Amino acid sequence: MKLAYERDLTPMKLTSLSGVRQNDVTIALANRLGISRQRMRRILIQKCDLMTLENLGPRYDAAEIQARSDEIGDALSLPHLSTAAGILTKERADHYRALAGEKDAVTADILRMILEEIS
């Protein structure tokens, strides 16, 4: 018999993501990053624990509030990836924020780097 922490929780995570609010957040995150919903689901399933996925709606709402006062973070979806989904650590989010603050920074290139890291 496998213990709970030894089991593959992918089916449970997928079930959680099929909830109405979680599905809406998955679509919103996918749109922010310019990727498909399926790819976003795959990232969330791989990177998030079940508790985070179940609370994705309120966590996303908190990230939206945080993003309103953070132009760079909002453009790169940093609060959404760190606060809401926990995919990026605060240190990595700060790293990408610093990159965006450089003179010749291109937001699309930084988003591409973020996607490479989280995929």
Side-chain angles (χ1 to χ4, degrees), residues 32-73:
R32 285 185 143 280
L33 298 174
I35 60 176
S36 69
R37 181 182 65 163
Q38 291 78 10
R39 184 173 176 195
M40 190 71 237
R41 274 187 175 180
R42 196 173 323 119
I43 291 168
L44 290 169
I45 288 170
Q46 290 172 350
K47 303 287 183 175
C48 298
D49 61 21
L50 192 54
M51 186 66 75
T52 300
L53 295 178
E54 289 177 355
N55 293 304
L56 201 54
R59 293 172 66 104
Y60 185 84
D61 293 341
E64 281 286 292
I65 292 168
Q66 187 179 359
R68 287 185 199 139
S69 62
D70 180 8
E71 187 177 328
I72 293 174

Short mmCIF file of all heavy atoms in Angstrom, two decimals, residues 32-73:
data_model
loop_
_atom_site.label_atom_id
_atom_site.label_comp_id
_atom_site.label_asym_id
_atom_site.label_seq_id
_atom_site.Cartn_x
_atom_site.Cartn_y
_atom_site.Cartn_z
N ARG A 32 -2.46 35.61 -19.63
CA ARG A 32 -1.41 36.54 -19.21
C ARG A 32 -0.05 36.13 -19.78
O ARG A 32 0.76 36.97 -20.12
CB ARG A 32 -1.30 36.58 -17.69
CG ARG A 32 -2.39 37.33 -17.01
CD ARG A 32 -2.13 37.42 -15.51
NE ARG A 32 -2.56 38.71 -15.02
CZ ARG A 32 -1.88 39.83 -15.12
NH1 ARG A 32 -0.71 39.84 -15.68
NH2 ARG A 32 -2.36 40.97 -14.67
N LEU A 33 0.18 34.82 -19.84
CA LEU A 33 1.48 34.33 -20.30
C LEU A 33 1.51 34.04 -21.80
O LEU A 33 2.56 33.72 -22.36
CB LEU A 33 1.86 33.06 -19.53
CG LEU A 33 2.04 33.25 -18.02
CD1 LEU A 33 2.26 31.90 -17.35
CD2 LEU A 33 3.18 34.20 -17.73
N GLY A 34 0.37 34.11 -22.45
CA GLY A 34 0.30 33.86 -23.89
C GLY A 34 0.51 32.40 -24.26
O GLY A 34 1.10 32.10 -25.28
N ILE A 35 0.00 31.52 -23.40
CA ILE A 35 0.12 30.07 -23.67
C ILE A 35 -1.28 29.44 -23.64
O ILE A 35 -2.25 30.09 -23.27
CB ILE A 35 1.05 29.37 -22.64
CG1 ILE A 35 0.52 29.53 -21.22
CG2 ILE A 35 2.47 29.91 -22.77
CD1 ILE A 35 1.32 28.78 -20.17
N SER A 36 -1.35 28.18 -24.03
CA SER A 36 -2.64 27.50 -24.04
C SER A 36 -3.06 27.11 -22.61
O SER A 36 -2.23 27.00 -21.71
CB SER A 36 -2.56 26.24 -24.90
OG SER A 36 -1.74 25.27 -24.26
N ARG A 37 -4.35 26.90 -22.45
CA ARG A 37 -4.88 26.47 -21.15
C ARG A 37 -4.29 25.12 -20.76
O ARG A 37 -3.96 24.88 -19.60
CB ARG A 37 -6.40 26.39 -21.21
CG ARG A 37 -7.02 25.96 -19.88
CD ARG A 37 -8.49 25.84 -19.98
NE ARG A 37 -8.80 24.76 -20.91
CZ ARG A 37 -9.98 24.18 -20.99
NH1 ARG A 37 -10.98 24.59 -20.26
NH2 ARG A 37 -10.19 23.20 -21.83
N GLN A 38 -4.13 24.23 -21.73
CA GLN A 38 -3.59 22.92 -21.44
C GLN A 38 -2.15 23.01 -20.94
O GLN A 38 -1.76 22.31 -20.00
CB GLN A 38 -3.64 22.02 -22.69
CG GLN A 38 -5.04 21.62 -23.10
CD GLN A 38 -5.79 22.72 -23.84
OE1 GLN A 38 -5.22 23.74 -24.23
NE2 GLN A 38 -7.09 22.53 -24.02
N ARG A 39 -1.37 23.88 -21.56
CA ARG A 39 0.03 24.04 -21.11
C ARG A 39 0.05 24.63 -19.70
O ARG A 39 0.85 24.22 -18.87
CB ARG A 39 0.79 24.93 -22.08
CG ARG A 39 2.26 25.06 -21.72
CD ARG A 39 3.05 25.81 -22.77
NE ARG A 39 4.42 25.98 -22.35
CZ ARG A 39 5.26 26.83 -22.90
NH1 ARG A 39 4.88 27.54 -23.95
NH2 ARG A 39 6.48 26.95 -22.44
N MET A 40 -0.83 25.59 -19.43
CA MET A 40 -0.89 26.18 -18.10
C MET A 40 -1.30 25.14 -17.08
O MET A 40 -0.74 25.08 -15.98
CB MET A 40 -1.86 27.36 -18.09
CG MET A 40 -1.80 28.19 -16.82
SD MET A 40 -0.26 29.13 -16.74
CE MET A 40 0.40 28.55 -15.20
N ARG A 41 -2.27 24.31 -17.42
CA ARG A 41 -2.68 23.23 -16.52
C ARG A 41 -1.50 22.30 -16.21
O ARG A 41 -1.29 21.91 -15.07
CB ARG A 41 -3.81 22.40 -17.14
CG ARG A 41 -5.16 22.93 -16.92
CD ARG A 41 -6.18 21.95 -17.43
NE ARG A 41 -7.51 22.42 -17.10
CZ ARG A 41 -8.60 21.77 -17.40
NH1 ARG A 41 -8.55 20.63 -18.06
NH2 ARG A 41 -9.77 22.25 -17.07
N ARG A 42 -0.77 21.95 -17.24
CA ARG A 42 0.38 21.06 -17.06
C ARG A 42 1.39 21.69 -16.10
O ARG A 42 1.92 21.01 -15.21
CB ARG A 42 1.02 20.78 -18.42
CG ARG A 42 1.94 19.59 -18.44
CD ARG A 42 2.43 19.22 -19.83
NE ARG A 42 1.45 19.38 -20.88
CZ ARG A 42 1.58 20.20 -21.94
NH1 ARG A 42 2.66 20.92 -22.09
NH2 ARG A 42 0.64 20.29 -22.84
N ILE A 43 1.66 22.98 -16.27
CA ILE A 43 2.61 23.67 -15.39
C ILE A 43 2.09 23.67 -13.95
O ILE A 43 2.84 23.37 -13.02
CB ILE A 43 2.85 25.12 -15.89
CG1 ILE A 43 3.64 25.09 -17.20
CG2 ILE A 43 3.60 25.93 -14.84
CD1 ILE A 43 3.69 26.44 -17.91
N LEU A 44 0.81 24.01 -13.78
CA LEU A 44 0.24 24.05 -12.44
C LEU A 44 0.27 22.67 -11.77
O LEU A 44 0.59 22.56 -10.59
CB LEU A 44 -1.20 24.58 -12.49
CG LEU A 44 -1.34 26.07 -12.82
CD1 LEU A 44 -2.80 26.42 -13.10
CD2 LEU A 44 -0.78 26.93 -11.70
N ILE A 45 -0.05 21.63 -12.51
CA ILE A 45 -0.03 20.28 -11.96
C ILE A 45 1.38 19.87 -11.55
O ILE A 45 1.59 19.28 -10.50
CB ILE A 45 -0.65 19.28 -12.96
CG1 ILE A 45 -2.16 19.48 -13.02
CG2 ILE A 45 -0.31 17.83 -12.59
CD1 ILE A 45 -2.85 18.72 -14.14
N GLN A 46 2.37 20.22 -12.36
CA GLN A 46 3.75 19.84 -12.06
C GLN A 46 4.33 20.65 -10.90
O GLN A 46 5.07 20.11 -10.09
CB GLN A 46 4.64 20.05 -13.28
CG GLN A 46 4.39 19.07 -14.39
CD GLN A 46 5.17 19.43 -15.66
OE1 GLN A 46 5.75 20.51 -15.76
NE2 GLN A 46 5.17 18.52 -16.61
N LYS A 47 3.99 21.93 -10.81
CA LYS A 47 4.67 22.83 -9.89
C LYS A 47 3.93 23.09 -8.57
O LYS A 47 4.55 23.55 -7.62
CB LYS A 47 4.93 24.19 -10.56
CG LYS A 47 5.73 24.10 -11.83
CD LYS A 47 7.16 23.79 -11.54
CE LYS A 47 7.97 23.79 -12.83
NZ LYS A 47 9.37 23.60 -12.61
N CYS A 48 2.63 22.86 -8.53
CA CYS A 48 1.84 23.22 -7.35
C CYS A 48 1.38 21.99 -6.57
O CYS A 48 1.15 20.94 -7.16
CB CYS A 48 0.61 24.01 -7.76
SG CYS A 48 0.98 25.57 -8.56
N ASP A 49 1.23 22.18 -5.27
CA ASP A 49 0.64 21.10 -4.48
C ASP A 49 -0.88 21.22 -4.55
O ASP A 49 -1.43 22.21 -5.03
CB ASP A 49 1.16 21.10 -3.05
CG ASP A 49 0.83 22.37 -2.28
OD1 ASP A 49 -0.11 23.09 -2.66
OD2 ASP A 49 1.52 22.64 -1.28
N LEU A 50 -1.56 20.21 -4.06
CA LEU A 50 -3.02 20.14 -4.16
C LEU A 50 -3.69 21.28 -3.39
O LEU A 50 -4.68 21.86 -3.87
CB LEU A 50 -3.51 18.78 -3.66
CG LEU A 50 -4.94 18.40 -3.95
CD1 LEU A 50 -5.27 18.51 -5.43
CD2 LEU A 50 -5.21 16.99 -3.46
N MET A 51 -3.16 21.64 -2.24
CA MET A 51 -3.75 22.71 -1.44
C MET A 51 -3.69 24.05 -2.18
O MET A 51 -4.65 24.82 -2.18
CB MET A 51 -3.03 22.83 -0.10
CG MET A 51 -3.67 23.82 0.83
SD MET A 51 -5.30 23.32 1.38
CE MET A 51 -4.86 22.05 2.54
N THR A 52 -2.59 24.32 -2.83
CA THR A 52 -2.45 25.56 -3.61
C THR A 52 -3.47 25.58 -4.74
O THR A 52 -4.12 26.61 -4.97
CB THR A 52 -1.03 25.70 -4.17
OG1 THR A 52 -0.11 25.73 -3.08
CG2 THR A 52 -0.87 26.96 -5.00
N LEU A 53 -3.62 24.46 -5.42
CA LEU A 53 -4.58 24.41 -6.53
C LEU A 53 -6.01 24.60 -6.05
O LEU A 53 -6.80 25.27 -6.71
CB LEU A 53 -4.44 23.09 -7.28
CG LEU A 53 -3.11 22.86 -7.98
CD1 LEU A 53 -3.09 21.49 -8.65
CD2 LEU A 53 -2.83 23.96 -8.99
N GLU A 54 -6.34 24.04 -4.90
CA GLU A 54 -7.69 24.18 -4.39
C GLU A 54 -8.00 25.62 -3.98
O GLU A 54 -9.14 26.05 -4.03
CB GLU A 54 -7.92 23.22 -3.22
CG GLU A 54 -7.99 21.78 -3.67
CD GLU A 54 -8.15 20.80 -2.53
OE1 GLU A 54 -8.10 21.22 -1.35
OE2 GLU A 54 -8.31 19.60 -2.82
N ASN A 55 -6.97 26.37 -3.58
CA ASN A 55 -7.15 27.75 -3.16
C ASN A 55 -6.69 28.75 -4.22
O ASN A 55 -6.40 29.91 -3.90
CB ASN A 55 -6.37 28.00 -1.85
CG ASN A 55 -6.98 27.21 -0.72
OD1 ASN A 55 -8.15 27.34 -0.43
ND2 ASN A 55 -6.17 26.38 -0.09
N LEU A 56 -6.60 28.33 -5.44
CA LEU A 56 -6.08 29.16 -6.51
C LEU A 56 -6.92 30.42 -6.74
O LEU A 56 -6.36 31.49 -7.00
CB LEU A 56 -5.99 28.33 -7.80
CG LEU A 56 -5.05 28.82 -8.88
CD1 LEU A 56 -3.65 29.03 -8.35
CD2 LEU A 56 -5.03 27.82 -10.03
N GLY A 57 -8.22 30.34 -6.60
CA GLY A 57 -9.08 31.50 -6.82
C GLY A 57 -8.77 32.66 -5.89
O GLY A 57 -8.44 33.76 -6.35
N PRO A 58 -8.84 32.47 -4.58
CA PRO A 58 -8.53 33.56 -3.66
C PRO A 58 -7.07 34.03 -3.76
O PRO A 58 -6.78 35.22 -3.62
CB PRO A 58 -8.81 32.99 -2.28
CG PRO A 58 -9.63 31.78 -2.49
CD PRO A 58 -9.38 31.32 -3.88
N ARG A 59 -6.18 33.11 -4.01
CA ARG A 59 -4.78 33.48 -4.15
C ARG A 59 -4.58 34.37 -5.39
O ARG A 59 -3.81 35.32 -5.36
CB ARG A 59 -3.90 32.23 -4.22
CG ARG A 59 -3.88 31.43 -2.91
CD ARG A 59 -3.17 30.10 -3.08
NE ARG A 59 -1.77 30.30 -3.37
CZ ARG A 59 -0.79 30.11 -2.50
NH1 ARG A 59 -1.07 29.71 -1.27
NH2 ARG A 59 0.45 30.31 -2.84
N TYR A 60 -5.27 34.05 -6.47
CA TYR A 60 -5.20 34.86 -7.68
C TYR A 60 -5.78 36.25 -7.42
O TYR A 60 -5.23 37.24 -7.88
CB TYR A 60 -5.95 34.17 -8.83
CG TYR A 60 -5.82 34.89 -10.13
CD1 TYR A 60 -4.71 34.70 -10.96
CD2 TYR A 60 -6.81 35.78 -10.56
CE1 TYR A 60 -4.59 35.37 -12.16
CE2 TYR A 60 -6.69 36.46 -11.76
CZ TYR A 60 -5.58 36.25 -12.55
OH TYR A 60 -5.46 36.93 -13.74
N ASP A 61 -6.88 36.32 -6.68
CA ASP A 61 -7.47 37.61 -6.35
C ASP A 61 -6.49 38.48 -5.57
O ASP A 61 -6.37 39.67 -5.83
CB ASP A 61 -8.76 37.43 -5.54
CG ASP A 61 -9.87 36.78 -6.36
OD1 ASP A 61 -9.79 36.79 -7.61
OD2 ASP A 61 -10.82 36.25 -5.74
N ALA A 62 -5.78 37.87 -4.63
CA ALA A 62 -4.77 38.61 -3.86
C ALA A 62 -3.65 39.10 -4.78
O ALA A 62 -3.15 40.22 -4.63
CB ALA A 62 -4.20 37.73 -2.75
N ALA A 63 -3.25 38.28 -5.73
CA ALA A 63 -2.20 38.68 -6.68
C ALA A 63 -2.67 39.81 -7.57
O ALA A 63 -1.89 40.71 -7.90
CB ALA A 63 -1.78 37.48 -7.53
N GLU A 64 -3.93 39.81 -7.96
CA GLU A 64 -4.48 40.90 -8.77
C GLU A 64 -4.41 42.22 -8.02
O GLU A 64 -4.06 43.25 -8.60
CB GLU A 64 -5.94 40.60 -9.16
CG GLU A 64 -6.08 39.62 -10.31
CD GLU A 64 -5.74 40.25 -11.63
OE1 GLU A 64 -6.47 41.14 -12.10
OE2 GLU A 64 -4.71 39.86 -12.21
N ILE A 65 -4.75 42.20 -6.74
CA ILE A 65 -4.67 43.42 -5.93
C ILE A 65 -3.23 43.90 -5.85
O ILE A 65 -2.95 45.09 -5.99
CB ILE A 65 -5.26 43.16 -4.52
CG1 ILE A 65 -6.77 42.93 -4.64
CG2 ILE A 65 -4.95 44.31 -3.57
CD1 ILE A 65 -7.42 42.38 -3.38
N GLN A 66 -2.32 42.97 -5.63
CA GLN A 66 -0.90 43.31 -5.55
C GLN A 66 -0.40 43.86 -6.89
O GLN A 66 0.39 44.81 -6.92
CB GLN A 66 -0.11 42.07 -5.16
CG GLN A 66 1.34 42.30 -4.88
CD GLN A 66 2.05 41.01 -4.47
OE1 GLN A 66 1.44 39.95 -4.38
NE2 GLN A 66 3.33 41.11 -4.26
N ALA A 67 -0.86 43.32 -7.99
CA ALA A 67 -0.38 43.73 -9.32
C ALA A 67 -0.84 45.13 -9.69
O ALA A 67 -0.17 45.80 -10.47
CB ALA A 67 -0.86 42.73 -10.37
N ARG A 68 -1.95 45.58 -9.13
CA ARG A 68 -2.45 46.93 -9.45
C ARG A 68 -1.46 48.02 -9.10
O ARG A 68 -1.44 49.07 -9.74
CB ARG A 68 -3.77 47.19 -8.73
CG ARG A 68 -4.92 46.43 -9.31
CD ARG A 68 -6.21 46.81 -8.63
NE ARG A 68 -7.20 45.78 -8.89
CZ ARG A 68 -8.05 45.31 -7.99
NH1 ARG A 68 -8.06 45.80 -6.77
NH2 ARG A 68 -8.88 44.37 -8.32
N SER A 69 -0.65 47.79 -8.08
CA SER A 69 0.30 48.81 -7.65
C SER A 69 1.73 48.50 -8.10
O SER A 69 2.68 49.10 -7.63
CB SER A 69 0.26 48.95 -6.13
OG SER A 69 0.64 47.73 -5.52
N ASP A 70 1.88 47.54 -9.00
CA ASP A 70 3.20 47.10 -9.43
C ASP A 70 3.20 46.93 -10.94
O ASP A 70 2.88 45.86 -11.45
CB ASP A 70 3.55 45.79 -8.72
CG ASP A 70 4.91 45.24 -9.08
OD1 ASP A 70 5.68 45.93 -9.78
OD2 ASP A 70 5.21 44.10 -8.66
N GLU A 71 3.57 47.98 -11.66
CA GLU A 71 3.48 47.97 -13.12
C GLU A 71 4.36 46.88 -13.74
O GLU A 71 3.92 46.14 -14.63
CB GLU A 71 3.88 49.34 -13.66
CG GLU A 71 3.67 49.49 -15.14
CD GLU A 71 4.00 50.89 -15.64
OE1 GLU A 71 3.81 51.85 -14.88
OE2 GLU A 71 4.45 51.00 -16.78
N ILE A 72 5.61 46.78 -13.29
CA ILE A 72 6.52 45.77 -13.84
C ILE A 72 6.04 44.37 -13.49
O ILE A 72 5.99 43.48 -14.33
CB ILE A 72 7.96 45.99 -13.35
CG1 ILE A 72 8.52 47.28 -13.93
CG2 ILE A 72 8.86 44.81 -13.70
CD1 ILE A 72 9.88 47.68 -13.38
N GLY A 73 5.67 44.18 -12.22
CA GLY A 73 5.17 42.88 -11.78
C GLY A 73 3.93 42.46 -12.55
O GLY A 73 3.78 41.29 -12.92
#
